[in-house]
Amino acid sequence: ERVTYAPPQESQEEPVIVTVNAGDAAYKYCNQNLLSMHVFPALPVFQPVNSQWMTVGQERVTNIYGWTSFGVVAFFLLVLCWRLGKLAFTVIHGGYKSHGRDMNINFSDVDVIDSYVPQVKSEQYAYPLIACNIDNICESLMSWKDPSQPYDYYNLTKDVAGIFEGTNFTVHDNAFSKIAHWPPDDDE
């Protein structure tokens, strides 16, 4: 019997004529790469029909490896989904957890309160220069006190207002930090 081999169309090879006589040994291509067949997990049941090549022992080992790989991938996917779910929950609902217990002491009842007030240290002054408008806070929130000068003496917002006074320039509201304090009412 005469058989003609034709290479793929995109190939530059010439067709080859092969002669097979009765009684000649016939060989069949056996694709043993289960991944190239796009099956997962790689199990013996996915062997092509009429092309089973595995022995019983190979099938047993392949079943173990296939299901183990499936378990590992499933475990990592579950962990990934769990962590993404926790991240989404944290983003949506916030992630703060308080530690400790309520001491039942109001912030305004503490004797010594220091608040963060934006300041700039200068070697020309004994105290830092205040880099925000402190008109809306109580002076007791400042961490220092000059006995000879008021806080406005060190307030840069007052200096800038004085520098630009009488000119066409105005200081934008966002040029300096903003700070405010709302103490509780005395009747509470």
Side-chain angles (χ1 to χ4, degrees):
E1 171 178 346
R2 209 171 178 177
V3 178
T4 304
Y5 163 75
Q9 291 179 349
E10 61 272 354
S11 174
Q12 300 297 325
E13 298 177 35
E14 291 291 323
V16 177
I17 298 175
V18 178
T19 304
V20 179
N21 297 319
D24 285 350
Y27 296 95
K28 181 179 177 184
Y29 174 72
C30 180
N31 183 6
Q32 297 181 356
N33 185 355
L34 291 177
L35 289 178
S36 71
M37 295 179 212
H38 305 293
V39 294
F40 183 80
L43 297 173
V45 296
F46 296 124
Q47 295 179 83
V49 178
N50 299 325
S51 292
Q52 286 88 8
W53 69 88
M54 292 186 198
T55 65
V56 174
Q58 289 173 327
E59 286 184 356
R60 189 175 318 119
V61 170
T62 303
N63 269 323
I64 292 170
Y65 287 155
W67 286 114
T68 301
S69 67
F70 178 80
V72 168
V73 169
F75 173 76
F76 281 111
L77 287 176
L78 285 172
V79 168
L80 177 68
C81 289
W82 173 257
R83 289 188 177 179
L84 288 175
K86 280 178 57 176
L87 177 65
F89 184 84
T90 301
V91 168
I92 293 169
H93 297 287
Y96 173 75
K97 290 183 181 178
S98 62
H99 298 282
R101 60 185 175 86
D102 185 1
M103 302 299 287
N104 294 319
I105 300 172
N106 295 328
F107 177 78
S108 297
D109 292 340
V110 176
D111 292 333
V112 179
I113 300 174
D114 285 339
S115 62
Y116 172 74
V117 177
Q119 301 174 12
V120 178
K121 293 188 178 188
S122 172
E123 293 190 16
Q124 283 77 30
Y125 294 93
Y127 294 94
L129 301 173
I130 301 169
C132 67
N133 186 337
I134 59 170
D135 291 342
N136 295 324
I137 69 167
C138 180
E139 290 184 355
S140 64
L141 295 176
M142 298 295 290
S143 61
W144 54 270
K145 173 80 173 147
D146 183 352
S148 61
Q149 297 290 341
Y151 288 109
D152 282 347
Y153 177 78
Y154 298 98
N155 195 333
L156 295 174
T157 62
K158 308 292 183 190
D159 292 340
V160 170
I163 291 171
F164 290 129
E165 188 177 335
T167 66
N168 291 335
F169 296 105
T170 57
V171 180
H172 193 274
D173 287 343
N174 293 331
F176 291 96
S177 298
K178 293 178 174 37
I179 186 170
H181 175 239
W182 293 274
D185 295 333
D186 290 334
D187 57 341
E188 288 183 14

